[in-house]
Amino acid sequence: MMRTWHSARRLLPLIAVFGTVLAGCGREDLSVLRPQGPAAESSLGLMKLAISIMIVVLLIVFSIAAYVLIRFRRKPGQNEIPEQIEGSFKLEVLWTVIPLILVIVLAVPTVRTVFALGDNHSGDKNAIKVKVTGHQYWWEFEYPDYGIKTAQDLIIPAGKNIAFELTTNDVLHSFWVPSLSGKIDTNPTGATNRFSFSAPKEGVYRGKCAELCGPSHGFMEFKVKAVSNDEFKQWIEAQKAPAVLPEDPALAQTFKEQCLKCHAVGDQGLSVGPNLTGIGSRESVAGILLNDDTRQDGAPVEENLKSWLHDTQGVKPGNLMPDPKQDMGLTDDEIDRIADYLAGYKLN
Amino acid sequence: MDWITTVDHKKIAILYLWAGGLFFGIGGIEALLIRWQLIKPMNDFLDAQTFNELITMHGTTMIFLGVMPVIFALMNAVIPLQIGARDVAFPFLNALGFWTFLFGGLLLNLSWVMGGAPDAGWTSYTPLSTSAYSGTHGVDFYTIGLQIAGLGTLIGGINFLATIITMRAPGMSYMRMPMFAWATFITSAIILFAFPAITVGLVLLTFDRILGANFFEPGAGGSPVLWQHIFWIFGHPEVYILILPAFGIISEVIPTFARKRLFGYSSMVFATILIAFLGFMVWAHHMFTTGLGPVANALFAVSTMLIAVPTGIKIFNWLFTMWGGSVRFTTPNLFASGFIPTFTMGGVTGVMLASAPADFQFHDTYFVVAHFHYVIVGGLVMGLFAGLHYWWPKMFGRMLSETLGKWTFWTFITGFHLTFFVQHFLGLMGMQRRVFTYLPNQHFDTLNLVSTIGAGLMGVGTLIFLANIVITSRNPMDADDDPWEDGRTLEWSIPSPPPEYNFKQTPLVRGLDALWKEKTAGNKGMTPAEPVGSIHMPSATPLPFIMSVGIFIAGFGFMFSRDNFSSGFVSFLFNNYIVTGLGLLITFGAMLMRSLYDDHGWHIEPEELEGR
Ligand code: HEM
Ligand SMILES: [Cu+2]
């Protein structure tokens, strides 16, 4: 045992290096290992504790295993029968008690954190309330205190606690922003879930759906955009402003008749589908076509809107939006002009 | 024909092995297709729907139809021999269990060619698995196929319980039973308690889908969370149904090749029982993110961590069995020694997952995929490889090639770690599981590539194993009674393969590791507990096969009872439950025949026994 401890101690710097490499793993806006908020930090804290304990256990097991496998290998000509040992009460007690202690070391902070994270801030006056509703394959975010709804981009003021209330409109989904917090399922109403997190730093964080929900489950992404308090207020006001419709009255008519029977912009339309108010200033179209033409995997927003409107099933297989051309009878030209209009529909 | 009517546990073992091999192959091909799709971002090799069908069928097939029958194959081949019995307690039921399993599995796989495989994940969470969101017959194949296959498993479990309780040779007290027999005993007990839960769940889901019931329909007062509870109350013990037999195998292989008795036998027995018990208490650790609240999460987190204690006992006992021994690295022992560190890695990530707030991050990501493959593939499949290489000469009378065996081991274990180790990091970096593709530039690309290459290597390892079987099957059947030379338990005291009646005379057991005890006392074999006499044997019968065909037809008929077929006559047959009725008629008819016709079996007389 002494010797194993010694080699374990010598390996500590290695573990430290390993740890830092781990911490540098993945994108800042996406990786569990690079937390950007207190909830994700407390999960990572536990993960670090657990993995340190587990690495120690592994080192012990591996070194004993390696030692036994090398030391007690049968050599040619070796034919004697080893002594048949029944067991050792002392040793067996030892490896019952040590794991028990390790388990307690992990269990205590686990229980503490479970209760700390169970705090959902729903009664907190300073918290921003957001109702999250999962739909096959998009996210709806409602701000009941402000009477507005948006989709795909969740805008929050940096540093404030956000009190979430989560449900689903159809099958189960799971709301997950790895760099800000662990995930929580969206169950149908009646089993509504509540939780909260905050993002101290301004920035855009990637969110995902983590519960199999159909063909495009993997594409059910969203963005969390943490902005300053002022920007948040401005955004709320802009979101409440009356709808801006296409300038060409004919196009506006088509848009109203065909698109607004599911979608809403400003004060018009329905919200069966994602709310489109200010879609020109969103981070992405459909959650996955990134509106960032400075990057290789992004494209200008009007291009993304066109990709989407010309081939909704190709972009997100199995999604429930009717095809603009086939099902709504729009011409290619109308589709392109609607895309241009939407791309220009920016807030501020 | 002989294979269809047999009730001999050794032949049923071989049937289970081939059937398991078949399904394992299907599940493996599905895995390789999945991995090929994930080799690079935005790959369009498979479409999203097919991918979801593949992951669902891969998981379902591997868990229910791939590894379970191989476990049952080894149990059938070995357990009666290890406890000194001439057969299992109910040979007829044993055959019935196999055939219902096979027909259930076939029904499930027919979905591939009959309009769509199940696509809601092997866990079939509602509402995704209800007819509102999964419109093909896929999930019906899942509920009904698994129901029929599950019947077979339950029958098998009960049979082993009865066998082990009543048919041990004279002198074999419980505390002299080999560890594999103990593992089988406890596993069967878990089956007895866990399978009824999934049976109920599947019936309720079938009713929801086919008869329009509302058990899980939120709009009508049903609860999707209820399904999760039912599923995992079965599902978690199921994991122990899988891993305990592997523990049993490792506990047989290591002592044999270390030439040392198992270290801490009684603590091993105790640990096995404790694991089984705790296995029933922790199901909600699959549901930390469902929103059960902090109290439930805390309780289930702590009870889950406790399982680490008995598991740790086992690992250290295996290591100390080798300590001071004279260890020989045959293929079975390579797999057993590879098992220990690999399984330990799966175990420690299990403890990490048990920490609920950390699991909020791990859950439903590739970290979890890595964890359970470390346990199931790195633990169970390695254990099965160890057991298959170990008992192959006993089952078939031929040794497998050691050279090819070692190649199998090295390619398989290298491929395994390549595939699954990197997946821990994928999960932590934000890749959720069950995604048919992923966007580029998320730092997922390289690790996915590595993982796919590893999967290919595992495929190569499996192919080498198959080649080994084919090549050595041409050799003469010349394996010794005790081909590894250091056999410790009763199965090594009789010829390989054993005669139909196993033991000419029931052996007298005088201690743990009965054969080893006789060997060290200078005896050549076991002392018999009875004089040579007439041996009673059960008759071969096609009835179990016919009963299973009937259940298969009934299930099929029920599934399509709401469909409109192009032919009015066919619709008439299905819609009026005529097909279902016909199937049930076949089954009940066969049962009636079984009850009315008294079959007393037959005897092998002493002259015949001596004649050999
Ligand atoms: C060649 C070996 C294998 C490879 C490469 C492999 C690969 C995979 C992959 C890529 C997934 C999908 C992960 C996801 O996105 O959810 C998966 C899922 C799964 N695998 Fe395997 N696997 C292998 C063997 C096995 C074995 C032997 C078993 C069990 C005995 C197994 C059980 C499962 C289960 C239960 C799932 C979850 C399916 C679901 O989500 O519905 N796998 N596997
Ligand atoms: Cu999803």
Side-chain angles (χ1 to χ4, degrees), chain B residues 419-436:
Chain B
T419 312
F420 294 112
F421 188 69
V422 295
Q423 290 184 1
H424 293 112
F425 298 96
L426 278 174
L428 295 174
M429 284 157 58
M431 180 161 165
Q432 71 280 48
R433 73 191 271 216
R434 295 171 165 178
V435 291
F436 84 105

Side-chain angles (χ1 to χ4, degrees), chain B residues 303-528:
Chain B
S303 54
T304 304
M305 290 177 190
L306 284 179
I307 298 187
V309 177
T311 312
I313 295 180
K314 291 203 153 245
I315 289 172
F316 285 106
N317 277 346
W318 287 321
L319 290 175
F320 276 75
T321 303
M322 291 195 268
W323 191 287
S326 165
V327 185
R328 206 173 123 206
F329 288 99
T330 58
T331 309
N333 201 33
L334 273 181
F335 276 107
S337 333
F339 168 96
I340 298 177
T342 311
F343 176 78
T344 312
M345 288 172 72
V348 297
T349 50
V351 179
M352 294 173 66
L353 288 167
S355 180
D359 185 67
F360 296 159
Q361 292 285 23
F362 298 137
H363 182 67
D364 267 335
T365 68
Y366 262 85
F367 189 91
V368 170
V369 177
H371 157 72
F372 69 71
H373 282 91
Y374 260 82
V375 177
I376 302 181
V377 183
L380 173 60
V381 176
M382 297 262 280
L384 289 178
F385 269 126
L388 283 172
H389 284 92
Y390 181 57
W391 280 306
W392 198 269
K394 189 50 68 185
M395 288 178 76
F396 295 98
R398 297 181 182 94
M399 298 294 279
L400 286 173
S401 150
E402 277 290 302
T403 320
L404 288 177
K406 284 175 182 154
W407 274 97
T408 310
F409 172 75
W410 287 113
T411 41
F412 191 84
I413 197 167
T414 315
F416 168 79
H417 284 282
L418 266 186
T419 312
F420 294 112
F421 188 69
V422 295
Q423 290 184 1
H424 293 112
F425 298 96
L426 278 174
L428 295 174
M429 284 157 58
M431 180 161 165
Q432 71 280 48
R433 73 191 271 216
R434 295 171 165 178
V435 291
F436 84 105
T437 191
Y438 46 95
L439 301 180
N441 289 325
Q442 303 187 87
H443 296 239
F444 297 167
D445 309 6
T446 320
L447 297 184
N448 271 299
L449 175 66
V450 172
S451 186
T452 300
I453 294 173
L457 205 55
M458 286 168 81
V460 172
T462 314
L463 287 180
I464 299 177
F465 177 61
L466 290 182
N468 196 353
I469 295 176
V470 173
I471 293 170
T472 50
S473 69
R474 305 225 186 90
N475 297 351
M477 289 220 241
D478 59 356
D480 281 340
D481 295 6
D482 183 7
W484 303 111
E485 290 160 15
D486 294 316
R488 309 177 70 86
T489 40
L490 284 178
E491 73 269 31
W492 307 111
S493 69
I494 54 175
S496 311
E500 214 178 340
Y501 46 81
N502 298 353
F503 295 87
K504 193 160 78 182
Q505 292 161 287
T506 304
L508 180 68
V509 174
R510 296 200 287 192
L512 183 66
D513 291 337
L515 178 63
W516 182 262
K517 192 154 180 80
E518 301 296 334
K519 282 199 251 183
T520 45
N523 300 334
K524 283 200 108 169
M526 298 302 299
T527 318

Side-chain angles (χ1 to χ4, degrees), chain B residues 110-157:
Chain B
L110 270 183
S111 62
W112 281 122
V113 291
M114 294 192 61
D119 55 2
W122 84 280
T123 47
S124 270
Y125 273 18
T126 60
L128 185 61
S129 60
T130 59
S131 35
Y133 298 101
S134 184
T136 67
H137 273 301
V139 179
D140 299 326
F141 279 103
Y142 171 97
T143 55
I144 293 178
L146 286 188
Q147 193 68 275
I148 297 175
L151 206 61
T153 310
L154 192 53
I155 292 174

